[in-house]
């Protein structure tokens, strides 16, 4: 049995990951988001609050009654505006949700993984953190920071049979993309994407399924761009 904690699992990519992984009876899943859901394996929590993050971790450990084997940091927020229009509060909010929550949860789960001499951490980044996205400078920077965390932590725990990897999606069909893009902008995204399409959430979920498997044990510290070719030019 593998104990899996997934953030951002109430919607979009995280929901697809949770749905796919819960089909495997060898997986036990605890998940989080901000909305109220009445499930024994769910704790609603705003990841900007580091005390809430600690409570989330404790609730997950109580539920599993054993250490967390797999952490999937998927929760994230996107903001599209010129840098001079970003307030300090908005900037620190994005940093907290997109980067700091992943770092805090990673630091909490790693001791149990080391004891078990097995673990998997997957961070959901963005192609914007790999190539940069104008008018989403802070968002891009938070995802680049996450990529730095992924690589350095992978090195730190490499001898403990723990892998740390990052999936960097291009535009994915989720409520985040729906909120961020008008219908015309969606067509522009399709036009500039080499494969002329959006990524589907299930494609990210399938890659997670592979990354947590024993077949992927040699893959660590990697940034995998799942972006329909967006990172290679147009
Ligand atoms: N969609 C894309 O095109 C795309 C592209 C590249 C990368 N990504 C990344 O993929 C990840 C998931 O995005 P998505 O498209 O699936 O977005 P989504 O459908 O909007 O889902 C976001 C998830 O994160 C949770 N969340 C947001 N802010 C939170 C906070 N402050 N505290 C706790 N949970 C919070 C939400 O929970 P509630 O709704 O319950 O509050 C929800 O479960 C994000 O990290 C995003 O940056 C998305």
């Amino acid at each position: 049995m593998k104990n899996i904690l997934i953030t951002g699992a109430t919607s979009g990519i995280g929901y697809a990951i949770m749905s796919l992984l819960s089909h495997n009876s060898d997986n036990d899943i605890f998940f989080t988001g901000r909305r109220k859901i009445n499930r024994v394996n769910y704790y609603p929590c705003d990841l900007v609050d580091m005390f809430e993050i600690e409570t989330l971790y404790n609730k997950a450990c109580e539920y599993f009654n054993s250490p967390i084997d797999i952490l999937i940091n998927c929760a994230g927020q996107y903001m599209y505006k010129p840098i001079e229009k970003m307030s300090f509060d908005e900037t620190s909010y994005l940093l907290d949700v997109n980067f700091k929550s992943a770092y805090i949860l990673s630091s909490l789960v790693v001791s149990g993984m080391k004891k078990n001499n097995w673990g998997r951490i997957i961070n959901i980044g963005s192609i914007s953190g790999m190539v940069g996205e104008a008018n989403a400078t802070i968002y891009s920077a938070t995802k680049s920071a996450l990529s730095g965390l992924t690589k350095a932590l992978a090195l730190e725990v490499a001898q403990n049979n723990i892998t740390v990897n990052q999936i960097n999606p291009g535009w994915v069909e989720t409520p985040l993309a729906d909120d961020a893009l008008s219908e015309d902008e969606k067509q522009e995204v399709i036009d500039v994407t080499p494969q002329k399409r959006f990524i589907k959430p299930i494609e990210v979920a399938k890659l997670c399924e592979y990354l947590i498997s024993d077949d992927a044990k040699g893959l660590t510290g990697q940034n995998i761009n799942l972006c329909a070719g967006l990172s290679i030019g147009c």
Side-chain angles (χ1 to χ4, degrees):
M1 184 66 82
K2 294 289 183 228
N3 299 330
I4 308 177
L5 172 60
I6 310 175
T7 72
T10 53
S11 171
I13 295 170
Y15 181 78
I17 297 170
M18 184 184 63
S19 306
L20 181 72
L21 299 187
S22 56
H23 287 141
N24 183 339
S25 57
D26 280 344
N27 295 332
D28 199 2
I29 295 176
F30 195 89
F31 69 110
T32 185
R34 283 170 306 181
R35 66 196 72 181
K36 299 267 175 283
I37 297 176
N38 201 9
R39 292 267 297 271
V40 63
N41 60 338
Y42 178 79
Y43 180 70
C45 126
D46 194 329
L47 294 170
V48 295
D49 181 339
M50 59 187 289
F51 297 106
E52 274 293 284
I53 297 177
E54 214 167 338
T55 309
L56 164 69
Y57 169 75
N58 290 331
K59 295 266 179 203
C61 290
E62 254 170 52
Y63 169 79
F64 293 130
N65 199 23
S66 59
I68 290 160
D69 302 300
I70 297 165
L71 168 66
I72 302 179
N73 289 307
C74 182
Q77 293 266 346
Y78 176 74
M79 251 180 235
Y80 185 83
K81 49 167 104 167
I83 193 163
E84 68 273 22
K85 298 259 168 21
M86 287 288 291
S87 70
F88 289 147
D89 281 352
E90 286 171 329
T91 299
S92 68
Y93 179 75
L94 274 195
L95 265 168
D96 285 353
V97 180
N98 293 357
F99 170 71
K100 212 162 125 196
S101 69
Y103 134 70
I104 295 171
L105 278 172
S106 300
S107 72
L108 290 168
V109 299
V110 113
S111 327
M113 290 178 177
K114 280 183 175 171
K115 267 188 209 131
N116 282 347
N117 196 38
W118 197 94
R120 296 281 186 271
I121 298 175
I122 299 174
N123 295 320
I124 305 299
S126 166
I127 208 60
S128 308
M130 296 289 105
V131 298
E133 183 186 351
N135 297 310
T137 295
I138 303 303
Y139 175 76
S140 303
T142 63
K143 297 297 191 177
S144 293
L146 195 59
S147 158
L149 174 78
T150 299
K151 287 185 273 188
L153 183 58
L155 273 177
E156 197 171 317
V157 297
Q159 292 181 49
N160 302 99
N161 215 14
I162 303 168
T163 68
V164 188
N165 288 294
Q166 182 159 324
I167 300 173
N168 297 309
W171 282 103
V172 186
E173 280 172 14
T174 71
L176 180 151
D178 259 350
D179 290 348
L181 301 168
S182 66
E183 286 311 308
D184 285 351
E185 286 165 338
K186 282 182 189 162
Q187 191 52 54
E188 280 169 30
V189 164
I190 292 170
D191 291 342
V192 300
T193 304
Q195 289 185 348
K196 307 294 175 211
R197 69 183 185 95
F198 277 66
I199 298 289
K200 294 203 178 296
I202 185 70
E203 297 178 69
V204 184
K206 288 268 183 190
L207 183 51
C208 285
E209 190 180 41
Y210 172 66
L211 288 173
I212 65 171
S213 74
D214 270 328
D215 290 337
K217 67 182 174 202
L219 197 57
T220 194
Q222 299 305 309
N223 275 271
I224 304 167
N225 299 335
L226 181 41
C227 61
L230 205 51
S231 65
I232 50 175
C234 48

